[in-house]
Amino acid sequence: MTLIIALNCIAGLLAVTVLAVVIGRASVAAQIVYGASLIGSLILLFAAIGHLLGAADPVSMTLPLGLPWLGTHFRIDTLSSFFLAVVDLGIAAASLYALGYGRHEQAPQRVLPFYPAFLAGMNLVVLADDAFTFLISWEFMSLSSWALVMAHHRVRENVHAGYVYLIMASFGTLTLLLAFGLLAGPDGDYTFAAIRAAHPSAGLVALVLILALIGAGSKAGLVPLHIWLPLAHPAAPSHVSALMSGVMTKVAVYGFVRIVFDLLGEPAWWWGIPVLTIGAASAVMGVLYALMERDLKRIFAYSTIENVGLIFVALGLALSFKAHGMPLAAALALTAGLLHVFNHSLFKSLLFFGAGAVLTATGERNIERLGGLIHRMPQTAFVMLIGCIAVSALPPFNGFVSEWLIFQAILLSPQLPSWGLKFLVPAVGALLALSAALAAACFVRAFGIAFLGRPRTPAAEQAREVDRFSLAAMFACAAFCLIVGVLPGLFIDTLAPVVRSLVGARMPVQIGVEWLSIVPVAESRSSYNGLLVFFFIFMSGSLAAFAIHRLASDKLRRAPAWDCGYPDASPATQYTASSFAQPIRRVFGTLVFRAREQVVMPKPGDPGPARMSVELRDLIWDMLYTPIAGAVMLTAERLNGLQFLSIRQYLSLVFAALVILLLVIASWP
Amino acid sequence: MQGLVFDIAHMLAGSLVLVSFMQLYQDRLSALLNMFALHALVLALSVAWQAYVQAAPHLYITALIALVFKAIVIPVVLHRIIVRLGIHREIENVVGVGLTMLAGIGLVALAMVVMLRVTPGADPLAREDLAFALSVVLIGLLMMVTRRNAVSQVIGFMSLENGLVLAATGAKGMPLVVEISVAFSILIAFIVIGIFLFRIRERFDTVDISALDRFRGERR
């Protein structure tokens, strides 16, 4: 029943796509499309939650669509229902936000048709139950999101972003195609049920693991496959950015979990190692990039890379624990990872909504040109503050809970029997701790420069609060962040059937623990009570406010600030984003980005200003992608001669290829 | 009876390969056309024998099509065309007859090895038939590659197609074979006309004898 409802909703979304093509230019089109998307996603959300809470048995269904002898298989189990819920919660928030934000769209006919198609694609990926359906939905999702990235195609950067995105998305799909091809084996049965039942050899499975890590990782934004993400996510309209960053990366995580935890069967001891390494590298690199960045949306996009890295670290831990026969620890790590999937989708959507609100109000994405927005957009500033606290993993919000659980899982690593993992996991933990600290610095910087201080430009000075729909969506996300933060036990218990189906165990039941604490392993080890922390912060804050306002003078006085003897200081004398990042740039940037600072002092007597410039280089781009692009261009030039052969020479090529293939068959062992 | 059936089928398919080889060393176009007519005749016989053996009357139609179209109509038409174009006596500089024959032998060996390896469980009659058919296909391709003349390329292509028909009839219970053969014949007719017209136009621009003559006349 759930599956039928879900598929009908997806069909409805596709119908809305067609409708949007027809009425795209009408003035009410945006309201209709986003309203319909909101309703559809809410129905899907409730269906998914119903399935998840009921912990119902998997339901599958075959529709006579697609390839005639195969059909299209769909299935909903606890894993897909969890991801369906994450996806559709994000979609519902984004659609609500877009009801207001979409009015400012200059080219609605370029956004409206692809938006519901993108939503349908993401939902279909989660429900697919054979490799064909999965890959087609995956590619559908990629292409429709590419169209949304290219919505403002007159901007030069966007064209570049779309180009890079298209190449990386095709590459990712190619590796997934190869992975499924290997999994299906020589008989070519592409249904997931058949793949699950098959027992491929160890070498093949290792290859599939690497291919899945590359394919899903390139869509999720793992370093070094992340290069498209900070280009493409900010290029799209903000509600789509929120979906791409908050939801589409989660669909990629789903793809990885589905292949590695479900289809591949029992893990080998080393599976966790590549996942852990790449995840930790992504976490640190992502946040370092974010710290160097000045574009608000690109900061959030780089932070997505960091969070995806965290999620993959948790998944790698779960794989390692599962391979070494420690199902309880694996359940803890997997729960932490999945909870972070949910949390990240919430606060990253919230942050992108806020960035969109700032963009609407000021027309600026560069935080060096913002400032003082807390006075002009108090409500947006409030929810953005919540989002920044949550993404910085500070209590009492949700980011803290999942990251704390990941660290609890890392603390269990000394029990692992393998020495390699015994050494690797603490190192990964140290990197995660580093990235968590840097993330806090990054979001203090982003929030502080954009919202605090004095406005740096007239645009920031004249900002106005955004519309009700946008605010409603942001407040809803912020409320969810708080609820998950103070009542995490509820959500951990909801995840139990998902985790049990994948690693064969679950975390201890949290709902019965006194005072609504959560206890990941045992009471004697560690426990966390978000409610208590929240009450403590709330009470001490209110008490302090009360004390200041009642016991001190309650008169509000405004007086000029101490100006260091320079009257009428310009806003440019404030701390800037670059200056805030300078210490971190000096510590890490010289190594990671080859950062060079240059100070040009005017000659004595010259009244001109001194100038300080910073040069950063993206080493991954320089050392990995530039050589690849050069090699491709060189090969293309060499092969160009093949375009100008005679018929006989082409025939000879075909003939030679045929003979070589026959020789291969003849000499195959 | 079983032994005789097998032997005759074997002999007919084998002689198809033999005629393919005979095509390889014909360097005059009219002789090559005659060889192609013989090729089609042997194919027709082979298909007819398969029709008799498998008691499949529709294969007689295929045999008839092979006989009428490929053994009579197409060679006659091509003869008239090359006579009209004045290239029926043309001697093609084939890429070394000895080398071509050696390559052909290698291809037959390759076809045997491949087919015997990939069809261990099949009916021996079908197995041999498929191996011969693959040889014919490969030799047809070889001819297309080694010849410069459009007509001999077309003949190479059609003998390749003969190999396909042989493969299709050798496997028992192929219901669509009649339709396939008709479709192929029509396709080939189109290709014959198409390539010919195309080639003639190309030649008038570049290496046609009459065009060359005119060119010389101007220089004189």
Side-chain angles (χ1 to χ4, degrees):
Chain A
M1 193 61 201
T2 316
L3 193 55
I4 296 172
I5 295 173
L7 290 177
N8 277 322
C9 285
I10 293 170
L13 285 175
L14 290 173
V16 174
T17 300
V18 179
L19 183 71
V21 174
V22 179
I23 61 165
R25 283 170 192 280
S27 55
V28 290
Q31 267 71 16
I32 294 175
V33 168
Y34 293 129
S37 305
L38 177 62
I39 294 167
S41 59
L42 282 177
I43 298 172
L44 276 162
L45 175 64
F46 286 121
I49 292 177
H51 193 269
L52 188 60
L53 286 181
D57 290 332
V59 185
S60 45
M61 182 188 263
T62 308
L63 294 183
L65 300 170
L67 295 176
W69 60 91
L70 190 74
T72 308
H73 298 76
F74 294 105
R75 182 165 176 268
I76 186 165
D77 56 5
T78 46
L79 177 65
S80 45
S81 62
F82 166 66
F83 274 93
L84 201 62
V86 171
V87 166
D88 283 294
L89 186 59
I91 291 174
S95 302
L96 179 62
Y97 177 78
L99 276 174
Y101 180 79
R103 283 188 212 143
H104 310 292
E105 182 59 54
Q106 283 139 18
Q109 74 277 12
R110 290 189 188 283
V111 175
L112 293 182
F114 301 111
Y115 182 76
F118 178 43
L119 309 186
M122 290 194 290
N123 277 309
L124 280 174
V125 171
V126 177
L127 290 177
D129 193 35
D130 66 76
F132 275 115
T133 315
F134 184 91
L135 286 173
I136 287 174
S137 319
W138 183 277
E139 202 56 10
F140 188 69
M141 169 180 89
S142 297
L143 285 179
S144 48
S145 60
W146 174 79
L148 289 167
V149 167
M150 294 295 283
H152 302 154
H153 64 122
R154 304 258 180 238
V155 186
R156 245 186 118 66
E157 293 164 21
N158 292 5
V159 176
H160 177 61
Y163 179 66
V164 175
Y165 179 33
L166 198 60
I167 290 177
M168 292 305 289
S170 317
F171 172 70
T173 313
L174 173 70
T175 54
L176 282 183
L177 180 71
L178 292 176
F180 280 120
L182 288 175
L183 277 177
D187 303 334
D189 196 340
Y190 286 92
T191 55
F192 283 174
I195 293 175
R196 237 174 248 130
H199 295 286
S201 68
L204 193 86
V205 166
L207 201 56
V208 171
L209 173 75
I210 299 302
L211 286 172
L213 187 60
I214 294 174
S218 76
K219 175 81 33 192
L222 288 181
V223 172
L225 301 165
H226 66 282
I227 47 153
W228 62 274
L229 194 148
L231 300 173
H233 286 189
S238 292
H239 57 295
V240 180
S241 308
L243 280 181
M244 288 178 77
S245 233
V247 176
M248 193 173 72
T249 55
K250 305 307 170 302
V251 176
V253 172
Y254 165 79
F256 183 76
V257 172
R258 175 61 79 192
I259 293 175
V260 172
F261 281 84
D262 186 12
L263 299 183
L264 277 185
E266 280 305 304
W269 68 272
W270 58 270
W271 284 18
I273 293 176
V275 184
L276 281 170
T277 321
I278 292 182
S282 305
V284 175
M285 288 302 292
V287 74
L288 278 177
Y289 276 115
L291 265 166
M292 299 301 125
E293 195 53 62
R294 284 179 301 204
D295 181 319
L296 197 56
K297 281 171 90 171
R298 289 183 64 149
I299 292 176
F300 297 154
Y302 277 122
S303 147
T304 297
I305 296 174
E306 182 228 338
N307 282 285
V308 166
L310 283 177
I311 293 166
F312 272 81
V313 165
L315 296 180
L317 280 173
L319 275 177
S320 306
F321 286 129
K322 189 184 176 193
H324 291 93
M326 300 162 67
L328 280 174
L332 170 59
L334 190 59
T335 310
L338 294 180
L339 194 60
H340 200 67
V341 163
F342 181 58
N343 291 342
H344 181 247
S345 79
L346 286 174
F347 55 66
K348 194 44 62 71
S349 301
L350 167 58
L351 289 173
F352 268 108
F353 295 160
V358 170
L359 187 62
T360 313
T362 64
E364 281 292 343
R365 273 167 34 185
N366 187 348
I367 52 174
E368 305 276 33
R369 299 172 62 79
L370 297 172
L373 292 181
I374 195 167
H375 296 297
R376 279 138 202 109
M377 307 170 72
Q379 301 182 52
T380 307
F382 177 67
V383 287
M384 281 293 269
L385 182 62
I386 291 181
C388 287
I389 296 175
V391 71
S392 309
L394 294 174
F397 292 100
N398 56 357
F400 176 78
V401 177
S402 41
E403 289 202 29
W404 183 75
L405 286 177
I406 294 175
F407 279 107
Q408 293 302 316
I410 286 176
L411 291 179
L412 290 177
S413 69
Q415 297 172 17
L416 281 167
S418 147
W419 279 99
L421 284 167
K422 252 189 228 269
F423 284 117
L424 177 67
V425 175
V428 167
L431 286 178
L432 285 202
L434 175 67
S435 72
L438 290 177
C442 172
F443 282 93
V444 166
R445 169 177 177 262
F447 185 83
I449 303 295
F451 287 92
L452 304 182
R454 287 194 289 152
R456 292 177 175 80
T457 53
E461 208 163 355
Q462 283 150 19
R464 302 277 293 278
E465 189 57 273
V466 288
D467 56 277
R468 284 169 298 145
F469 287 113
S470 304
L471 283 174
M474 289 192 273
F475 270 98
C477 282
F480 267 109
C481 283
L482 184 65
I483 293 171
V484 182
V486 297
L487 297 171
L490 213 62
F491 295 86
I492 291 172
D493 280 349
T494 313
L495 281 172
V498 186
V499 174
R500 193 204 299 279
S501 73
L502 293 177
V503 297
R506 53 163 294 174
M507 276 178 66
V509 181
Q510 307 291 338
I511 207 74
V513 180
E514 291 163 4
W515 297 103
L516 297 171
S517 297
I518 53 169
V519 180
V521 187
E523 189 107 42
S524 57
R525 268 187 94 99
S526 55
S527 64
Y528 168 68
N529 191 324
L531 203 57
L532 211 61
V533 173
F534 176 61
F535 266 109
F536 178 73
I537 293 174
F538 184 73
M539 293 306 289
S540 56
S542 327
L543 216 62
F546 178 80
I548 289 169
H549 279 281
R550 287 291 148 206
L551 302 183
S553 161
D554 60 346
K555 286 222 178 78
L556 188 67
R557 290 180 299 155
R558 284 198 182 273
W562 165 235
D563 53 10
C564 303
Y566 292 92
D568 192 23
S570 123
T573 57
Q574 295 175 100
Y575 237 79
T576 64
S578 305
S579 55
F580 192 93
Q582 192 192 36
I584 293 165
R585 192 170 62 232
R586 288 208 171 145
V587 174
F588 298 99
T590 42
L591 180 69
V592 182
F593 302 108
R594 297 270 162 80
R596 297 210 190 296
E597 292 182 5
Q598 263 197 330
V599 183
V600 181
M601 293 296 288
K603 295 239 165 64
D606 184 356
R611 292 199 178 276
M612 180 170 174
S613 59
V614 180
E615 186 196 358
L616 295 178
R617 300 191 56 187
D618 190 339
L619 288 187
I620 293 174
W621 187 274
D622 286 354
M623 292 166 73
L624 188 62
Y625 288 94
T626 315
I628 290 177
V632 169
M633 288 308 289
L634 196 70
T635 322
E637 245 164 56
R638 290 278 157 82
L639 291 179
N640 196 21
L642 286 181
Q643 307 274 343
F644 308 104
L645 299 181
S646 70
I647 294 182
R648 209 170 63 86
Q649 282 164 317
Y650 282 125
L651 276 175
S652 312
L653 281 182
V654 173
F655 183 61
L658 179 64
V659 168
I660 289 172
L661 287 179
L662 286 177
L663 279 174
V664 168
I665 296 178
S667 56
W668 199 259
Chain B
M1 185 61 192
Q2 191 59 40
L4 188 64
V5 164
F6 178 76
D7 285 344
I8 291 180
H10 204 172
M11 185 196 77
L12 286 170
S15 32
L16 201 63
V17 178
L18 189 68
V19 179
S20 285
F21 268 102
M22 287 160 73
Q23 284 182 342
L24 270 186
Y25 64 79
Q26 303 298 333
D27 50 6
R28 278 171 200 271
L29 279 182
S30 49
L32 184 63
L33 274 177
N34 291 342
M35 275 307 137
F36 175 68
L38 183 60
H39 200 259
L41 183 69
V42 174
L43 175 77
L45 282 178
S46 173
V47 174
W49 181 251
Q50 289 287 352
Y52 170 68
V53 170
Q54 298 178 14
H58 60 272
L59 284 184
Y60 284 117
I61 302 173
T62 311
L64 195 67
I65 289 170
L67 188 68
V68 172
F69 274 97
K70 291 182 191 152
I72 300 171
V73 175
I74 292 181
V76 167
V77 171
L78 280 177
H79 247 299
R80 294 174 95 184
I81 290 177
I82 62 171
V83 167
R84 206 163 48 196
L85 287 175
I87 54 173
H88 57 292
R89 281 178 220 268
E90 195 166 286
I91 295 177
E92 262 190 304
N93 33 353
V94 181
V95 191
V97 172
L99 200 63
T100 321
M101 297 293 277
L102 278 179
I105 292 169
L107 288 177
V108 174
L110 179 64
M112 292 290 173
V113 172
V114 169
M115 272 305 158
L116 297 187
R117 274 183 67 103
V118 297
T119 55
D123 177 22
L125 179 58
R127 252 176 114 182
E128 296 282 338
D129 234 21
L130 283 176
F132 282 132
L134 185 60
S135 313
V136 173
V137 167
L138 287 177
I139 292 176
L141 257 177
L142 179 68
M143 199 158 99
M144 292 177 79
V145 169
T146 52
R147 302 290 173 120
R148 288 186 203 288
N149 193 302
V151 179
S152 26
Q153 284 185 358
V154 168
I155 291 172
F157 185 77
M158 283 192 294
S159 60
L160 180 157
E161 193 262 337
N162 285 351
L164 289 182
V165 173
L166 180 68
T169 51
K172 274 179 194 165
M174 245 196 208
L176 289 172
V177 82
V178 179
E179 284 91 328
I180 289 172
S181 68
V182 170
F184 258 110
S185 300
I186 292 171
L187 184 72
I188 281 171
F190 272 115
I191 287 175
V192 168
I193 296 164
I195 291 189
F196 230 76
L197 291 178
F198 175 70
R199 269 301 170 118
I200 286 168
R201 202 183 53 192
E202 198 179 73
R203 271 169 188 245
F204 271 116
D205 284 337
T206 55
V207 290
D208 191 279
I209 300 167
S210 54
L212 276 178
D213 280 341
R214 223 183 311 135
F215 189 55
R216 265 188 205 148
E218 278 177 14
R219 275 184 83 182
R220 269 179 205 149

